[in-house]
Amino acid sequence: MAIITYDPLPDTLAAYQGAIEENARSYGLDFFPTIFELVDADQLNAIAAYGGFPTRYPHWRFGMEYERLSKGYHYGLQKIYELVINNDPCYAYLMSSNSLTDQKLVMAHVYGHCDFFKNNAWFSHTNRKMMDDMANHGNRIRRYMERFGQEEVEEFIDCCLSIEDLIDIHAPFIRRRREEVGKDRFPQADAEDPLPPPGKFRAKDYMDRYINPPAALAAETERLRQKREQQEHFPSEPMTDVMLFVLEHAPLKPWQLDVLTILRDEAYYFAPQGQTKIMNEGWASYWHSTIMTQRQLLPEEVIHYCDHHAGTMATSSTRLNPYKLGIELFRDIEDRWNKGRFGKEYEECDDLTARAKWDTGAGRGREKIFEVRRIHNDLTFIDTFLTLEFCRQHKLFKFGYNGRADVYEIETREFPQVKEQLLFNLTNAGRPRIRVVDGNHKNRGEMVLEHAYHGVELKADYARDTLANLFKLWKRPVHIVTVLENVPTTLSFDGSEHTSKSQQAAADIKRK
Amino acid sequence: MSMKIERDQRRFREIVRGKIRENLRKYITRDEMIGRKGKDLVSIPVPYLDVPHFRFGRNGNGGVGSGEGDVGTPVGQGGDAEGGQGQAGSDPGAHVLEVEISLDELAAIMAEELELPRIEPKGAANIQQQKSRYTSIRRTGPESLRHFRRTYMQALRRQISSNSYIPERPRVVPIQDDRRYRSWQTTIEPEAKAVAIYMMDVSGSMTDEQKEIVRTEAFWIDTWLSSQYDGIEVQYIIHDAAAKVVDEHTFYHTRESGGTRISSAYRACIQLIDAKYSPSDWNIYCFQFSDGDNWGEDNEQSITLLRDRLLPAANQFCYGQVESPYGSGEYLKALETAFGHKHEKLVLSDIENKAGIYESIKLFLGKGK
């Protein structure tokens, strides 16, 4: 039930919307119907605080976000230009105080996003009726708050939010296992009944030891035993979707299950936006720039437009601007495929001057970037298209933390390291990879998580707080196997105190 | 479109208030707040209320940036450059959020937390007097209150904007619309009168750190008392071997040296009370801070002055003794011997260090007199 009513845009803006939509279509962009809404700064800040959904469930962190946004706006530190929701139809918000040039820029930008939402593969499984569902979620949670108390529901939401990033972002595309819902929580602990003897072939006595050789029988018995052991392990394979694991196995009340389901749905809905930030913003910027400079810009608007475009593209030394990186990469790809700078022959060419002048007139640039926007996410995008030349041209460097001086400093400008670092930051959205490896540790229903350690340690205080929140959901002791200060360590929380065991204890768990 | 954001914002603020309450000790012992006094609002940084997640620690928190610079060039402070992720904005990181709180609100939070009782005033208490003040301008009013200058200014403004003003023949004729009248506002002036007299020992034995403690404590006491009395008067006395009445700035910023005669401060205080603050009409609060290193023969004189003159006059007399590496701290003992632990009006407090400020405030203001 979308209870939001929208006023139609004023005539001038509606006319521009028509024209820009036509422009966008003529370039081959393909999008859901797009509804623009004109709102004032306070409304826009509020909507942005809600992640774009004005009817979202109540939670203090939205209030905090709003406070931050509106302070930033009132002190003139920041201003949201555009906000667009992945939904069918797409909803986009325009700020009423923006100048006409800005509105045109934003509209063109929004059509880029809408095209991306509709066509990028990583968005293909997102819920396109999220506007309605979010309102629905909001109502359900509000109802629970009325019945069970705001404090209680809010505290539960806080706990769930602690694990909201522990989802399996590839799950929508892969079927990992059969649904386990409804299965016994703890498989029969008393399953001590002897293994059925491995199947023997029928044979006459004197032939038996040839047809059923004892060695083969023994091997078969062993295989069955191992298989059974694996089945008994719970979960049978490590699970990346910790939220799902908790949902299926934690002793939660019905309303809690519903809240957790809601938060998990929302986490999956938002995940692709985190996975494609660079591409999505790059693509939208590419198109606002193209549409504005080729079709829409009036002579008197040029300076204003340039000023704002440049503001959007500004870079800082410690944070790569996704708008800038994205648009430049798309342009680079377009240029390379226009000039035929790809394929074996080009890759193997060592002659720098030849490379610099390389132009086969292939002219496939536009076609290529449309393909790229369809199939890639940020990780594969950078992996496939970030070249040495690009890295040099844009003066990219890798920086790291220098503990002695307490500063971040430039570590290297070597291309492989820079790219590796960038890919690392993008892998799993820059978050540690954590899986459930055991849901019945020591046969006491304790949960063991495992952090896939690749040289970067967890923030220990955060990890402890997260465990404490996870405990509130799981209601049995929880552990995480990780590495702290170069020593394999298990952090545990049993409901009253935090413990940290290094090496030896961790080895025990692994052996099990 | 109905916005529920206010509700969430309120909820967030409530949580922040709780957070401030938890960390009150920290805020109280921080002295930069004094520098900000004067504005009604103080900014209190609260840690970005973060929902804990598993995330990477700082040790491997590198990233990719772009721009000039050689290998080894610093690009950001340890505290602020967060992760340098490719995903600007997707991760809130460790922002520090500043929440603005009025001093009164802070005093209220402090009172709740320290369980400070509200003060019951004496004297011509509870009588509130209404006073009219001519503070604003209106477009209508009786002719007797017409504001000539404003009226003519308005006329001039109108003539210039309607292009009927000729500089060569300046003639300004007001019409009805131009007329402006004085207007009054009724203000309520409380009659409950209170004065706080701060006495600080600035002798050589008081180190900067100790003065800092005194200043911080005085600041908070001041904040609390101001929230209890509208228009409380404050007097400052500094003393070494001799005392003088000074203004607020001097009190908070003076460095002196020399010997210590506490009786000199008492005399100055008594003079003040005699001259301006009759104990029958005024609520008098005295706060004295020292390292307790008084001249030996002065103790007796001081205690006599205190017993005979100051204690009868004051609602409460607070003595805070800051521990000093040099001083003997004997004055506190002398007071204890002379008056015992449980004197009705005398409150003694031993402030060990900055962390002791909190307890000391509680002790001083906890009586509600």
Side-chain angles (χ1 to χ4, degrees), chain A residues 271-374:
Chain A
Q273 300 188 18
Q275 276 176 284
T276 57
K277 184 85 178 166
I278 297 171
M279 285 186 73
N280 205 342
E281 293 301 354
W283 184 252
S285 300
Y286 176 93
W287 286 110
H288 82 232
S289 157
T290 308
I291 291 173
M292 289 301 278
T293 53
Q294 294 183 0
R295 304 282 173 87
Q296 280 293 334
L297 218 48
L298 300 174
E300 65 270 25
E301 295 177 325
V302 171
I303 302 285
H304 187 84
Y305 164 81
C306 289
D307 188 26
H308 281 200
H309 178 76
T312 318
M313 296 298 143
T315 55
S316 94
S317 54
T318 50
R319 205 183 265 285
L320 275 186
N321 181 342
Y323 293 78
K324 174 74 173 166
L325 184 62
I327 192 175
E328 293 296 349
L329 268 173
F330 272 118
R331 281 180 175 159
D332 187 54
I333 295 166
E334 184 177 27
D335 184 56
R336 281 169 60 203
W337 262 259
N338 272 339
K339 293 181 176 162
R341 296 183 179 188
F342 57 91
K344 187 168 193 290
E345 208 179 323
Y346 175 74
E347 298 295 334
E348 287 177 356
C349 174
D350 282 338
D351 182 353
L352 283 181
T353 32
R355 275 173 84 97
K357 284 188 188 158
W358 195 285
D359 189 354
T360 62
R364 288 172 51 195
R366 251 318 138 68
E367 183 196 339
K368 183 66 183 175
I369 56 172
F370 270 93
E371 175 197 308
V372 170
R373 79 94 161 72
R374 199 174 71 242

Side-chain angles (χ1 to χ4, degrees), chain A residues 29-215:
Chain A
L29 294 183
D30 164 36
F31 34 79
F32 298 122
T34 304
I35 297 170
F36 284 93
E37 167 82 347
L38 201 58
V39 296
D40 65 29
D42 276 343
Q43 286 171 314
L44 189 62
N45 285 332
I47 298 170
Y50 278 123
F53 295 90
T55 51
R56 234 172 149 185
Y57 62 86
H59 191 260
W60 58 264
R61 76 182 195 286
F62 304 135
M64 171 173 75
E65 195 54 30
Y66 176 70
E67 180 121 346
R68 212 170 59 82
L69 289 171
S70 56
K71 280 250 174 70
Y73 176 77
H74 289 300
Y75 293 140
L77 302 173
Q78 62 180 30
K79 185 167 156 185
I80 302 169
Y81 273 96
E82 132 265 355
L83 186 63
V84 51
I85 312 303
N86 165 30
N87 194 68
D88 179 10
C90 268
Y91 288 99
Y93 301 95
L94 297 173
M95 181 138 85
S96 53
S97 62
N98 278 348
S99 71
L100 191 57
T101 317
D102 288 336
Q103 308 290 30
K104 285 158 73 178
L105 188 158
V106 169
M107 285 187 196
H109 190 87
V110 162
Y111 280 109
H113 279 307
C114 295
D115 169 80
F116 197 87
F117 289 147
K118 185 173 174 186
N119 294 288
N120 181 273
W122 298 89
F123 281 92
S124 59
H125 288 273
T126 53
N127 182 352
R128 309 291 192 180
K129 292 288 169 207
M130 205 54 177
M131 200 48 116
D132 300 352
D133 281 3
M134 282 278 190
N136 192 350
H137 291 170
N139 283 337
R140 267 145 74 193
I141 291 185
R142 267 186 283 275
R143 205 165 61 226
Y144 296 137
M145 284 183 166
E146 274 160 28
R147 273 190 67 185
F148 304 105
Q150 185 183 9
E151 290 278 340
E152 172 138 6
V153 176
E154 191 180 66
E155 205 188 320
F156 182 75
I157 292 175
D158 286 352
C159 295
C160 297
L161 289 175
S162 259
I163 57 166
E164 73 170 339
D165 55 346
L166 302 182
I167 57 173
D168 183 355
I169 48 176
H170 300 111
F173 309 94
I174 304 167
R175 192 158 166 205
R176 297 236 187 250
R177 52 168 194 143
R178 281 186 318 247
E179 287 298 312
E180 274 186 33
V181 189
K183 214 180 135 192
D184 263 351
R185 182 143 163 245
F186 298 114
Q188 268 67 45
D190 57 351
E192 279 301 314
D193 51 333
L195 288 165
K200 282 172 86 176
F201 292 106
R202 230 152 46 94
K204 295 196 167 110
D205 276 354
Y206 66 95
M207 285 296 280
D208 190 54
R209 63 195 178 100
Y210 301 105
I211 289 177
N212 295 312

